[in-house]
Amino acid sequence: MDDSQNKDSEHMGWMQEAMNMAEEALAAGEVPVGCVFVRDGWAIAKARNRTNEFRNATRHAELEAIDVILSDIELTPAISEYPLATTTLYVTVEPCIMCASALRQLGIKEVIFGCGNERFGGCGSVLGVNAELKHPVLPAYKATGGYRREEAILILRRFYITENTNAPIPKSKANRVLKTDIPPAS
């Protein structure tokens, strides 16, 4: 196996860990997004969306995990300008603009994601906070999508065909059918 195949295999393995967190989110009635932060070949934090649980729109999976990392003296032993500079994020859905900005401010090394986020994506789908927006200080980071893309789309669809009782004005979804056809990535 060549180096790129090894890297793809590694990415797929970590993405499976993120998918496991997304399944946990789905079981808890949350938008099924999960993530894992990896440093030196080890998962240092895993999280899932908890926005419904806390009734707080900022409790995205990425921010939940960042809180764990920054509050643990072993994971962040010293105050540094870019505490995630040697860390890779694996997340089932492209980070939203808010999360993409937080990741850039903390100096994330790289982001690997499943499917794009056509409504709120901060790594190129809507706005390229990760690299396209120039900033005089904050370093850009590489973001690559498409790992376990179909699985990520299907789990989102599984959530969105159900009634979200936490939505401000729930829409009736009694007649919705789970679509399993997924067009190829553009």
Side-chain angles (χ1 to χ4, degrees), residues 42-160:
W42 296 95
I44 61 169
K46 296 178 187 180
R48 62 171 176 83
N49 274 3
R50 296 177 79 181
T51 58
N52 291 335
E53 178 182 346
F54 292 120
R55 297 187 180 281
N56 181 338
T58 68
R59 299 323 314 160
H60 291 192
E62 299 95 326
L63 298 181
E64 286 285 311
I66 287 169
D67 284 353
V68 169
I69 295 166
L70 295 180
S71 66
D72 187 326
I73 196 75
E74 290 183 24
L75 298 176
T76 311
I79 295 174
S80 79
E81 190 171 18
Y82 302 117
L84 300 179
T86 61
T87 307
T88 298
L89 166 64
Y90 293 87
V91 61
T92 57
V93 178
E94 173 187 2
C96 71
I97 293 168
M98 171 183 69
C99 292
S101 178
L103 293 164
R104 186 158 182 186
Q105 291 175 53
L106 294 169
I108 192 81
K109 176 182 167 186
E110 183 176 11
V111 172
I112 306 294
F113 62 90
C115 63
N117 183 342
E118 300 302 322
R119 293 185 69 197
F120 308 110
C123 293
S125 289
V126 175
L127 190 62
V129 174
N130 63 306
E132 294 166 18
L133 291 180
K134 301 296 180 216
H135 194 280
V137 178
L138 300 175
Y141 61 88
K142 181 180 177 185
T144 308
Y147 289 89
R148 298 197 182 276
R149 176 181 171 270
E150 292 81 11
E151 293 170 67
I153 291 170
L154 282 175
I155 195 171
L156 287 169
R157 286 182 180 175
R158 285 172 44 209
F159 174 79
Y160 284 114

Side-chain angles (χ1 to χ4, degrees), residues 34 64 162 169:
E64 286 285 311
T162 65
I169 303 172

